[in-house]
Amino acid sequence: MDFRYKGKGDVTNSVSLLISILIRYPEVAKINFDPDRQVLRFTFIYSRVLSEAEINALREKILSSIEVYNLLENKQPQVINLDYKISENLTMIEIQRDVDTLVQEEIALMVELFQQYINKNLVTEEHDQLVDEDLVVQEELIEHMLESVKTKSENKRLYAFREEGRVLVFNK
């Protein structure tokens, strides 16, 4: 998978984090980093329009699972939100999580939950499957970059998404 960074300056830890998440998890359609609020926004795309009842059921399942995970990990997240937007025949579902309490295992949990609840209609980009060794490396990199972003005050508002087998990152 190829990636491009469209911004000024070096590739920062937050840029590396977004790239690693998109490479590791093809189910994540796009990801934003808001440095002011220290929030990551994960966007998943559902290939049809979900009804209000379906959205509410999905919201309940996903958010309660994330809350239980954090309870078991003895963490108190500051931001856990699920929002959605309907565009043409798609439903874009966004999960917002504060960086301070987010860990790689929770990202894996989110992706797994989406695979379970809306698997056949979850839009993913086809790509070469990473071998198990590469998956572990990407997961370790995500964890390392998350820890780094927590301790450094990066002020770049970033937006990353996939397009035709490439990961594109923009500094907004």
Side-chain angles (χ1 to χ4, degrees), residues 30-78:
K30 65 180 180 177
I31 187 165
N32 297 49
F33 175 61
D34 180 347
D36 299 332
R37 293 182 55 219
Q38 286 289 292
V39 168
L40 281 173
R41 294 180 174 146
F42 300 83
T43 302
F44 297 85
I45 300 176
Y46 191 68
S47 64
R48 70 174 181 84
V49 175
L50 291 171
S51 70
E52 192 73 31
E54 289 171 312
I55 289 283
N56 289 335
L58 181 66
R59 177 182 284 124
E60 174 61 31
K61 289 174 184 175
I62 301 256
L63 294 184
S64 64
S65 296
I66 291 172
E67 288 168 3
V68 167
Y69 173 81
N70 281 287
L71 183 67
L72 293 172
E73 291 293 313
N74 216 11
K75 293 183 184 174
Q76 296 185 341
Q78 299 152 3

Side-chain angles (χ1 to χ4, degrees), residues 55-117:
I55 289 283
N56 289 335
L58 181 66
R59 177 182 284 124
E60 174 61 31
K61 289 174 184 175
I62 301 256
L63 294 184
S64 64
S65 296
I66 291 172
E67 288 168 3
V68 167
Y69 173 81
N70 281 287
L71 183 67
L72 293 172
E73 291 293 313
N74 216 11
K75 293 183 184 174
Q76 296 185 341
Q78 299 152 3
V79 178
I80 302 177
N81 292 324
L82 186 144
D83 203 0
Y84 72 99
K85 179 180 177 185
I86 303 217
S87 177
E88 297 178 19
N89 292 326
L90 303 172
T91 305
M92 288 171 273
I93 302 163
E94 178 184 272
I95 301 219
Q96 299 174 13
R97 278 293 285 115
D98 63 279
V99 172
D100 289 337
T101 59
L102 184 65
V103 293
Q104 192 283 324
E105 290 85 3
E106 185 181 335
I107 297 170
L109 172 66
M110 277 189 260
V111 171
E112 181 64 31
L113 291 169
F114 272 96
Q115 287 176 335
Q116 285 180 13
Y117 296 131

Side-chain angles (χ1 to χ4, degrees), residues 33-36 41 155-159 170-172:
F33 175 61
D34 180 347
D36 299 332
R41 294 180 174 146
N155 60 0
K156 292 182 177 153
R157 187 174 298 273
L158 299 171
Y159 175 79
F170 293 89
N171 177 3
K172 287 174 94 177

